[in-house]
DNA sequence: AAAATTTTTTAGATTTACCTAAAAATAAAA
DNA sequence: TTTTATTTTTAGGTAAATCTAAAAAATTTT
């Protein structure tokens, strides 16, 4: 059984490992909002418990055991997010911090019944997949909106940024999950993207377009 | 803001204060499953934060601030219990430990929306009253089943023992909240009580009868 | 290849919540 | 009212998770 803190480290390492194989001390420190020295201490402990493989100065990778534990926390996090949005009417930008706490409640029973109560959802309010109780899930095929060309279309199925500011912004623009969009123009000057959504034309910045994930995209 | 641990102390002190005005160090230690020396340490901290009044060797009493905090945790605990039973199909003997963790999640928003989602319940699965968001609740008038005389009747509205073993036992006997009962006999030999419930006669031990709370009782 | 920079680790402290063992205060019994 | 027993506190220490400052290793730049 892991502590609250260990679980947070495992989850952060898991997410960082999606980008690079060897996860660096500084990267973890930044995510956890702590100092690199503290991370080194914790890494040693996780290595001791065989949750990570660790070579001094080379960063860490999760062991199977560690990845399993991490996925389990991700599962809990996302299920709680679904609960908050579907049942308690939270907005998608309000759920993260609360789920960050709820994910650490220890009860196998609880999470399985919650899963059932929610109808075994496949993805969370941000479009991220929810692992099943065996830790299995399929990585959905996304393409960043910014990578689409004029005339391309698709469905908004995820975001790669979870900050409240960003999500609120999308909400205001009507850019929510499931919406159909089509690229009508890309501005030369600032790289901003003109998109057609529900018969309306809107303009979004490059920065925004980078973090919107599109699926079912049809090339023109 | 209190820590997880401080919250547990406050809640325990609150419950113990229902019996005696001055809550003793040893009593707290027993409830928290810790040593008296540790309790003394924590008491000093709570006194420092003005959550309890403390006179050395005389035990503690909650300040208004402390009681408020305690009632807030009790509210959360009981609302989560309702959630687990009503929505996730937990049995009344399965909820305590999970609620013990859930009660510490910090989000005003969360608990108010949960309250609404549950339909603003007035009591938890064990018949205990749920304080409203201002900490107000009415102490229901109970009488212990053991105190009833032959011919008296009433409704089961609470229990004064929350152990899983006890609750499972009641469940098996059909002695659940809301059931109408009538005392048909009291055995001289062992003080066990013969009761009439849903046209059936059952016999319960003195020990069990002590922890069943009855309301709307009509004297014969 | 040296120098400069960045990253990571070590050393030594701090805080929180515990603990044991022993002393002090209070309460109960003789 | 002593003596005895119980309760509570103090003193000193441990483990988890942090921190700062400084040393060491790795990487990048010149
Ligand atoms: Mn977390
Ligand atoms: Mn999410
Ligand atoms: Mn608790
Ligand atoms: Mn209860």
């Amino acid at each position: 059984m892991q502590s609250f803190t260990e679980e947070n480290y495992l989850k952060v390492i898991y997410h960082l490992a999606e980008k690079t194989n060897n996860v660096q001390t500084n990267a973890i420190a930044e995510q956890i909002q702590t100092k690199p020295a503290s991370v080194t201490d914790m890494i040693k402990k996780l290595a001791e418990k065989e949750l990570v493989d660790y070579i001094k100065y080379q960063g860490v990778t999760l062991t199977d055991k560690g990845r399993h534990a991490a996925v389990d926390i991700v599962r809990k996090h996302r299920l709680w997010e679904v609960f908050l949005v579907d049942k308690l009417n939270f907005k998608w930008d309000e759920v993260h911090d609360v789920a960050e706490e709820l994910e650490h409640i220890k009860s196998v029973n609880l999470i399985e019944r919650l899963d059932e109560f929610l109808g075994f959802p496949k993805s969370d309010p941000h479009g991220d997949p929810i692992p099943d109780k065996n830790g299995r899930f399929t990585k959905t095929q996304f393409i960043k909106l910014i990578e689409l060309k004029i005339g391309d279309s698709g469905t908004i199925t995820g975001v790669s940024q979870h900050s409240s500011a960003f999500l609120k912004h999308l909400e205001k623009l009507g850019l929510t999950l499931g919406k159909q969009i089509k690229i009508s123009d890309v501005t030369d000057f600032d790289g901003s993207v003109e998109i057609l959504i529900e018969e309306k034309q809107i303009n979004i910045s490059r920065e925004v377009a980078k973090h919107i994930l599109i699926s079912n995209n049809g090339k023109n």
Side-chain angles (χ1 to χ4, degrees), chain A:
Chain A
M1 197 90 304
Q2 285 86 35
S3 74
F4 187 107
T5 311
E6 286 166 10
E7 288 187 347
N8 281 336
Y9 272 86
L10 289 173
K11 200 180 62 166
V12 161
I13 294 167
Y14 174 77
H15 285 311
L16 288 170
E18 286 170 347
K19 302 234 156 188
T20 44
N21 214 298
N22 270 50
V23 179
Q24 288 170 292
T25 305
N26 272 354
I28 299 171
E30 199 195 325
Q31 289 293 311
I32 306 258
Q33 302 259 62
T34 187
K35 304 289 157 173
S38 309
V39 173
T40 302
D41 284 349
M42 178 56 79
I43 277 174
K44 283 182 189 162
K45 207 220 266 187
L46 295 175
E48 190 61 43
K49 292 190 173 191
E50 300 192 312
L51 293 159
V52 298
D53 290 319
Y54 169 51
I55 305 164
K56 257 192 202 175
Y57 293 100
Q58 300 301 126
V60 289
T61 54
L62 290 171
T63 61
D64 282 0
K65 187 177 161 194
R67 188 170 24 258
H68 236 85
V71 169
D72 196 49
I73 301 152
V74 168
R75 167 171 157 81
K76 290 181 199 161
H77 185 100
R78 293 180 181 166
L79 280 173
W80 280 115
E81 284 191 345
V82 172
F83 169 70
L84 295 172
V85 167
D86 285 11
K87 305 295 180 182
L88 301 195
N89 294 113
F90 276 65
K91 296 276 173 57
W92 69 344
D93 61 285
E94 298 174 320
V95 297
H96 193 80
D97 293 347
V98 184
E100 204 59 46
E101 291 190 52
L102 284 164
E103 70 190 359
H104 303 291
I105 304 290
K106 275 156 197 71
S107 164
V108 183
N109 226 339
L110 172 65
I111 208 69
E112 291 196 10
R113 297 198 199 190
L114 180 66
D115 195 13
E116 187 183 354
F117 179 59
L118 299 172
F120 303 103
K122 290 276 170 296
S123 59
D124 86 354
H126 312 104
D128 295 309
I130 299 177
D132 70 18
K133 65 178 161 187
N134 303 306
R136 275 189 277 271
F137 66 97
T138 43
K139 270 205 193 101
T140 349
Q141 275 312 115
F142 289 129
I143 184 169
K144 290 177 187 163
L145 196 151
I146 193 78
E147 290 164 3
L148 297 181
K149 305 279 172 260
I150 296 173
D152 291 351
S153 59
T155 311
I156 302 179
T157 19
V159 291
S160 59
Q161 236 268 319
H162 291 186
S163 78
S164 182
F166 176 66
L167 296 173
K168 269 198 189 116
H169 182 56
L170 289 194
E171 182 104 54
K172 206 164 63 190
L173 294 171
L175 298 170
T176 50
L177 296 198
K179 290 280 175 71
Q180 275 287 127
I181 58 113
K182 183 171 184 172
I183 312 294
S184 40
D185 200 13
V186 178
T187 312
D188 273 349
F189 173 61
D190 61 356
S192 69
V193 185
E194 189 94 343
I195 64 181
L196 182 71
I197 176 167
E198 291 182 328
E199 262 112 84
K200 263 178 286 184
Q201 283 290 138
I202 63 168
N203 183 278
I204 59 174
S205 74
R206 239 185 103 72
E207 197 52 33
V208 167
K210 266 196 246 171
H211 296 294
I212 297 176
L213 305 174
I214 303 295
S215 67
N216 304 316
N217 49 298
K219 295 272 175 195
N220 190 18

